[in-house]
Amino acid sequence: MLNKLDDFPIHQTPEPIAHPATSDRNVYDRTWFNGYAADGSYYFGIGMAIYPHRGILDCAFSTVRPGERQHCFYGSRRAPMERTDMQVGPFRIEVIEPMKRARIVLEDNDSGIACCLTFSARTAAIQEARQTLWTGARRTMDATRFDQFGRWSGWVKTPDGEFKVDETLCHGVKDRSWGVRGVGERESGGAPRTPGGICFLWAPLFWEDHITHAIFFDGQEGEALVREGIVAPLYASEAEVPGVEDGKDRRMATARHRVKYVPGTRLASSAEIDLVDIDGTVRTIQLEPILKFQMKGLGYGHPEWGQGMWKGEFATGHESFDPHQLNPLEPWHLHTQQVVRASDGIRTGIGVLEQIVAGPYAPGGFTEFFDGAKG
């Protein structure tokens, strides 16, 4: 099964590009973006992924503004063999220049949600360390991710109105990841497993002339499964980005986090991150949330439009909800991103804090799998 990419010298195995190197049914390849105004006046998220062994290509677009509903568009189709085909009905991703510029288009449809947005990179690609997690003897996550920080221009339309996206005000991150992780319907059969607990935090931040990034996976006792801190240059425009990688990103020796939670929830009310340099120097960053986005709007944990779930040959869906009227302890509401103001005592910045705390997690004082929530 050949596709256009087989004409390039990029093969890693004797198989065509369309043949994943693993037979794991949860293999995936995902493109993801966020965008947000520096004053917290809007946030939008974008996702598209192919699941070769599930035979699915799906996508989502979701946006929220303070005091309004979060609006969500979902799309799904049978996966094409042509990997450069990045379209599901009215939604498409156009890679204008790899590692530099991309366009996202959601044409008018019955959801009342539409957009035309262009992402322009302001950093080179920054590769996170490989993320491998185990459940007993099974590797349940094994993924590589790279990030690019940039800006957006264009417009977004929702049932609550239209807003302009100005590149002088709108920050964003592109996140490309691939490998294996849990997607789609839950697996059935076999001996039952005792669910464990996990905490995931992801904090890409913009400063005046650089970015910082921190990634954490904790086990249920707070033990470090993944710890990474990164500092890299931020360029004024994509024309100044020196290449795919510029070699100037600096890896920290480690990173630490401290989170305070909104009472009765697992949502961060504030957080601190320590970036610990090789020489032991510690830079402590305080994070203050100003706008919440529910990640289920991009299919994460969604009970109906979850990523990698078969919806038929072609399907679209949509919904709108008030983020402040949701039960914060339902499993599909645990995963959030919040736009945050950042300060290290000298400088100020802006970014997002992504988090999900599921199951028992001792540092947060959480002892139940979903704190009694149904689902």
Side-chain angles (χ1 to χ4, degrees), residues 15-29:
E15 302 287 347
I17 287 295
H19 297 202
T22 175
S23 60
D24 193 309
R25 71 194 299 261
N26 288 334
V27 68
Y28 79 102
D29 202 326

Side-chain angles (χ1 to χ4, degrees), residues 206-284:
F206 286 81
W207 307 83
E208 183 177 1
D209 61 356
H210 68 284
I211 64 89
T212 61
H213 190 21
I215 308 101
F216 305 92
F217 283 92
D218 285 359
Q220 67 183 42
E221 298 302 321
E223 69 274 24
L225 305 178
V226 172
R227 285 280 188 279
E228 189 170 19
I230 302 167
V231 180
L234 180 67
Y235 297 94
S237 70
E238 71 176 39
E240 297 182 29
V241 178
V244 172
E245 295 180 286
D246 66 9
K248 296 179 181 178
D249 50 298
R250 192 167 81 254
R251 308 286 160 146
M252 301 290 99
T254 190
R256 301 186 293 253
H257 65 86
R258 294 171 295 280
V259 178
K260 293 183 178 178
Y261 299 91
V262 175
T265 79
R266 298 183 177 212
L267 178 70
S269 61
S270 64
E272 288 186 338
I273 291 174
D274 294 334
L275 299 180
V276 184
D277 213 335
I278 301 295
D279 63 3
T281 302
V282 178
R283 177 180 176 183
T284 298

